[in-house]
Amino acid sequence: MESPRMQLLESLFKLKEHGTTVRTEVIAGFTTFLTMAYIVLVNPLILSSTGMDLNAVFVATCLAAALGTAIMGLVANYPIALAPGMGLNAYFTFSVVKGMGLSWETALGAVFISGIVFLAVSLFKVREAIVNAIPQSLKFAISAGVGMFLAIIALKNAGVIAPHPETYLTLGDIHKPTTLLAIVGFFLIVALEYRKVPGSIIIGILTVTALSIAFGLSPFKGIVAPVPSMEPTFMKMDIAGALQAGLIGVIFVFFFVDLFDTTGTLVGVSHRAGLLDKDGKLPRLKRALMADSIAITAGAVMGTSSTTAYVESAAGTAVGGRTGLTAVVVALLFLAALWLSPLAATVPAYATAPALCYVAVLMARGLAEIEWNDLTESAPAVMTALAMPFTFSIADGIAFGFISYAVIKILAGRFADLKPAVLVIAALWVFKLAFFH
């Protein structure tokens, strides 16, 4: 007979129905957390350049991630983690505050309002209609594109690729010890996965981290530190200032970019994890979309830029995470990070890069499921997948996909294939790129 605790977990997360176990979900949660733990350091560093208190933003980052991820796990039962989004924090800092000369309090007000708008459209199923309107070929392409986007991030963090003034990208310094460690980590993860060793991604990350410390390449930063105060940023958003007519465009960008970053991640990660239904749709989608809406609003109150679903969640699903228990584990680890920030800071970016590269290999398989014999389906799909890594934006990749899908279908005379929602979304992307890019 199962214990009351196991009965509760089964009731909440339907573990047997999803063919998983508590042990598998816990390992998946640790794996996802390790691949995205960098955000608790990077986000405060970026936002602090606006004048925000670094320690307060650190706390806000951990709490916003924990809240959004817990809601995703407990309410939507998806193994997907949320945290303040990379790209959105850069837009907040370099475009809104530094570029437009606005205060960080006003920028937080814009984030708060975008979260309220998110919440409203989620309640009225507008977002659900948008996600369900995505053609199958674009869903497959989004999955592959998210994988390639992860690969670009991983190769950059590992030092395998580097910027070049003429060719944009070139081979990095592969003689660097950190780059060599990342490459070894990738080989180790693939070999362990092939041998079906449980927790292979975690083993790879921790092995690279341990070797890095042993060779003196990165420091061991301790274990426990006091939780900093969040007072310098808590409830400091300037909503009245953000409601000025001049900031409508800023609110629109926060809303639109986060909408498609989250949508792309939900579809891409869920597809690879086998969580889409027979019609290629996400069950419990409304609940999943509510999680990041609440997290955005709460994050702005606490003092951080927009929260979004993280593509690194694919690392957890790659080791078997299939339910919200994975997300709950991630949420608890973000709370633990409030006290264990030195330990979380010990894992360097090049130690998580091999895991992301491995996940990219898995997600690239989405390209095989595209209808290659129909150019009106395959061409937009390829544009979607390629645009994500090369524009360094999931949202821009989706924009390329919707616009090219609509235009190609119209020019080919395939009007019957186009749902009204696809035309509306394509038109909105044209508007966004034309006036707010």
Side-chain angles (χ1 to χ4, degrees):
M1 181 180 290
E2 290 184 339
S3 67
R5 183 183 300 173
M6 284 302 300
Q7 290 176 348
L8 176 62
L9 291 175
E10 181 62 36
S11 174
L12 282 172
F13 303 112
K14 307 290 190 295
L15 300 174
K16 292 178 181 175
E17 181 182 319
H18 289 87
T20 185
T21 65
V22 172
R23 181 178 181 275
T24 298
E25 297 291 300
V26 170
I27 290 174
F30 270 90
T31 303
T32 294
F33 177 76
L34 282 174
T35 60
M36 61 186 290
Y38 66 86
I39 194 61
V40 302
L41 301 173
V42 177
N43 195 54
L45 285 173
I46 292 176
L47 296 188
S48 65
S49 64
T50 67
M52 299 176 76
D53 182 84
L54 186 143
N55 287 328
V57 176
F58 167 79
V59 176
T61 301
C62 292
L63 291 179
L67 175 65
T69 305
I71 295 172
M72 181 67 78
L74 292 170
V75 178
N77 198 21
Y78 278 112
I80 294 175
L82 288 78
M86 292 295 294
L88 285 163
N89 52 12
Y91 177 72
F92 179 102
T93 299
F94 301 110
S95 297
V96 180
V97 177
K98 292 192 170 185
M100 299 175 67
L102 299 172
S103 68
W104 60 263
E105 292 90 344
T106 302
L108 278 181
V111 173
F112 180 85
I113 295 168
S114 74
I116 295 298
V117 175
F118 247 70
L119 198 56
V121 299
S122 297
L123 288 171
F124 291 106
K125 295 189 176 182
V126 176
R127 290 179 70 188
E128 192 169 347
I130 291 171
V131 176
N132 288 335
I134 302 176
Q136 281 289 87
S137 61
L138 292 190
K139 286 181 180 178
F140 297 140
I142 288 168
S143 176
V146 168
M148 287 192 276
F149 180 76
L150 276 175
I152 287 283
I153 294 172
L155 293 173
K156 173 180 171 291
N157 289 346
V160 175
I161 59 174
H164 190 280
E166 300 297 331
T167 61
Y168 301 108
L169 286 176
T170 189
L171 183 66
D173 183 1
I174 58 172
H175 299 101
K176 287 177 62 177
T178 54
T179 302
L180 291 172
L181 276 180
I183 294 171
V184 169
F186 175 71
F187 293 158
L188 176 63
I189 289 172
V190 173
L192 291 175
E193 275 293 313
Y194 179 77
R195 292 174 177 271
K196 302 190 185 306
V197 176
S200 58
I201 292 181
I202 278 188
I203 293 171
I205 292 171
L206 295 181
T207 298
V208 173
T209 301
L211 289 172
S212 180
I213 294 169
F215 294 147
L217 301 174
S218 62
F220 178 67
K221 299 182 179 180
I223 298 174
V224 178
V227 179
S229 169
M230 196 168 59
E231 191 278 331
T233 59
F234 184 69
M235 289 288 289
K236 296 297 193 296
M237 68 279 190
D238 181 6
I239 298 172
L243 286 172
Q244 298 175 52
L247 287 189
I248 291 176
V250 171
I251 294 168
F252 178 80
V253 170
F254 276 130
F255 168 77
F256 217 63
V257 172
D258 195 68
L259 167 64
F260 281 93
D261 269 351
T262 294
T263 299
T265 300
L266 279 170
V267 172
V269 174
S270 298
H271 171 247
R272 275 273 51 94
L275 299 175
L276 302 181
D277 63 20
K278 57 183 174 59
D279 298 318
K281 295 180 180 180
L282 277 168
R284 308 178 307 282
L285 177 59
K286 184 177 179 180
R287 298 181 191 179
L289 296 176
M290 290 288 289
D292 65 318
S293 305
I294 295 170
I296 291 168
T297 309
V301 171
M302 291 184 281
T304 183
S305 53
S306 299
T307 301
T308 187
Y310 256 59
V311 293
E312 284 86 346
S313 302
T317 61
V319 297
R322 292 295 181 270
T323 75
L325 182 54
T326 293
V328 170
V329 171
V330 176
L332 292 173
L333 290 170
F334 270 116
L335 289 178
L338 289 168
W339 288 272
L340 303 175
S341 54
L343 188 59
T346 298
V347 178
Y350 54 83
T352 62
L356 298 184
C357 277
Y358 170 68
V359 172
V361 171
L362 297 183
M363 299 188 77
R365 291 185 298 186
L367 291 172
E369 301 181 57
I370 294 167
E371 182 53 65
W372 290 102
N373 293 325
D374 185 347
L375 268 176
T376 67
E377 295 287 335
S378 60
V382 171
M383 288 298 99
T384 303
L386 290 178
M388 286 187 191
F390 292 127
T391 63
F392 210 72
S393 168
I394 292 172
D396 286 344
I398 296 174
F400 274 60
F402 270 101
I403 294 169
S404 60
Y405 189 89
V407 172
I408 289 171
K409 288 288 187 182
I410 290 170
L411 293 178
R414 298 274 294 273
F415 304 102
D417 293 350
L418 286 170
K419 295 179 181 178
V422 173
L423 291 171
V424 171
I425 296 167
L428 287 172
W429 270 118
V430 170
F431 178 76
K432 188 265 178 185
L433 294 174
F435 296 102
F436 298 109
H437 187 67

